[in-house]
Amino acid sequence: MLDLTFIRTNTDAVKEAARLKNNPIDINALLELDRRVVSLQQEVEEARAQQNALSKKIQQAAKEKNVELRNQYIAQGKQLSEAIKEKEPLLAQLQEERYQQLLLVPNIPDPSTPVGKDEDDNVPIKYWGEKPTFEFPALDHYDLMQKLEMVDIERAVKVAGSRSYSLKGAAARLELALMNFAFDRLSRKGYTPIIVPSMARDFAFVGNGQFPKGRDQVYEIEGQDLFLVGTAEVSITGMYKDEILKAEELPLTYVGYSPCFRQEAGTYGKDTRGVFRIHQFNKVEQYIICEADTAVSVQWFEELERNAEELIQALELPYRIVNVCTGDMGDGKVGMHDIECWVPSENRYRETHSCSYFHDWQARRANIRYRDAEGKVRFVHTLNNTAIASPRILIPLIENHQQPDGSVRIPEALRPYMGGQDYIRPR
Ligand SMILES: Nc1ncnc2c1ncn2[C@@H]1O[C@H](COS(=O)(=O)NC(=O)[C@@H](N)CO)[C@@H](O)[C@H]1O
């Protein structure tokens, strides 16, 4: 959410951001509604002020035993309270409408963001690692996982329907190893490990920006104000709602784990093979709450990205980083980089990490503030990035490290979390 005063005084910049982000919001209509709210607010406040003045006059008239005048004032008072009783519900309704419109206003993208329509317009900015060349017919992740008895999709689909899966054997151990590996590396950097609820209330989804627009991606628990989170980002944002932190408490640096649930609405027929795009997965998330300073936000953005690069390099996976374009980045982002790992079977890079910074767009929605060094209360800045999301990361991991004999080499960095195992071999 942007500050109303900012929208009033930077209307063209906000309209341009909406245009660049394919966001259909009508800023003129929002400002017209805002003017109605402001004028109606003034009317109600004036009426209340007159009421106060009148009550003094009534007391004065009573003291002077001037019954005539006193009754006159009381009649005026009645008229005023009638008028207020009629205006207040309308004011409340218009304020709610304005708030709902405000939630749809996008953030202003950083000038370094490429202008584009969708992911095809994202701009690669870095490549790392040698793509493997296979002297044998390389298999895709699903064939490999089946041969190595690492997955059971049929029975999972029987239980949970489409886009479900079970990880078996080495894949089950790899997933937990990867979660531990990510937790370990980031905890060593001083990030606070946290395992957060995967069920959260409506306000948490409003806070991170998932609601109202992304509501169709979220599973709802019938009859309760509870929804399944698609990322720990929702729960951590919600945790700090309405809090005023102390400057010395910042920055808060979390490495958060949660199961993630996504409806994947609108992706029918996309990535249906294997475990690339599923309804439930596990993710270790990096999350930062820092002071309201653009340079500080950018520093954390760079650190979160570097952290993810270190993990991927330790897993010895070729990858690239793309600067996500305005049409693909979503409403809340100021800047966004995706990290895409090389998937040999598809002969292309696929997204495995997404790193974003928001300035105070999320903080305004969740009302997360801090008292700065001068004692001024301000909204914080928030950022997040994937550390490891599995099973998607298993796809490049297994494919890139497959061997001629059908085994899969486990990268050195992961072996301590796999009981020292070095290869996954067919039985
Ligand atoms: N439906 C899905 N199936 C499997 N993995 C997914 C799915 N959706 C997202 N992911 C994984 O989770 C990562 C982060 O998802 S994201 O929506 O892009 N970004 C976030 O959730 C941010 N909180 C940063 O993690 C993706 O890069 C991908 O690796």
Side-chain angles (χ1 to χ4, degrees), residues 339-402:
I339 301 181
E340 304 178 342
C341 286
W342 178 249
V343 178
S345 66
E346 296 188 28
N347 200 35
R348 62 177 169 152
Y349 292 92
R350 297 303 307 268
E351 180 206 323
T352 53
H353 294 69
S354 191
C355 188
S356 302
Y357 68 107
F358 300 79
H359 288 168
D360 61 14
W361 191 85
Q362 292 183 320
R364 287 180 185 280
R365 298 167 82 93
N367 191 28
I368 307 172
R369 293 173 293 167
Y370 73 107
R371 200 174 297 282
D372 71 12
E374 291 75 50
K376 187 166 174 290
V377 175
R378 308 176 66 188
F379 289 101
V380 298
H381 280 190
T382 61
L383 303 93
N384 66 70
N385 186 15
T386 317
I388 291 280
S390 176
R392 187 177 287 186
I393 195 69
L394 295 181
I395 297 172
L397 187 71
I398 292 167
E399 289 199 18
N400 282 290
H401 297 320
Q402 65 183 293

Side-chain angles (χ1 to χ4, degrees), residues 140-186:
D140 80 353
H141 83 277
Y142 191 33
D143 285 339
L144 274 167
M145 290 178 82
Q146 284 178 302
K147 277 185 183 304
L148 294 167
E149 300 177 86
M150 293 167 81
V151 72
D152 180 344
I153 284 192
E154 294 69 32
R155 290 193 182 86
V157 168
K158 188 195 292 184
V159 171
S162 68
R163 294 195 188 276
S164 303
Y165 62 100
S166 293
L167 296 182
K168 273 178 19 184
R173 295 190 56 212
L174 269 179
E175 174 154 302
L176 294 182
L178 284 158
M179 298 290 115
N180 224 318
F181 162 67
F183 248 44
D184 211 4
R185 293 276 179 120
L186 282 156

Side-chain angles (χ1 to χ4, degrees), residues 207-270:
N208 90 304
Q210 184 81 51
F211 287 1
K213 277 168 100 168
R215 202 179 182 105
D216 61 339
Q217 299 300 350
V218 175
Y219 289 104
E220 176 167 2
I221 295 184
E222 188 65 35
Q224 302 185 50
D225 175 18
L226 275 178
F227 303 79
L228 298 185
V229 303
T231 168
E233 172 198 341
V234 172
S235 309
I236 299 174
T237 307
M239 277 161 47
Y240 285 92
K241 176 179 172 61
D242 295 337
E243 293 200 15
I244 299 181
L245 300 164
K246 297 185 191 67
E248 56 271 20
E249 286 181 89
L250 298 182
L252 292 175
T253 61
Y254 278 116
V255 52
Y257 163 80
S258 83
C260 304
F261 301 87
R262 299 190 185 200
Q263 293 256 26
E264 287 297 329
T267 63
Y268 183 77
K270 258 181 89 179

Side-chain angles (χ1 to χ4, degrees), residues 22 30 67 176-177 182 190 196 310 343 346 362 377 413 419 425:
N22 306 324
L30 166 61
V67 175
L176 294 182
V196 294
E310 283 173 21
V343 178
E346 296 188 28
Q362 292 183 320
V377 175
R425 298 184 192 291

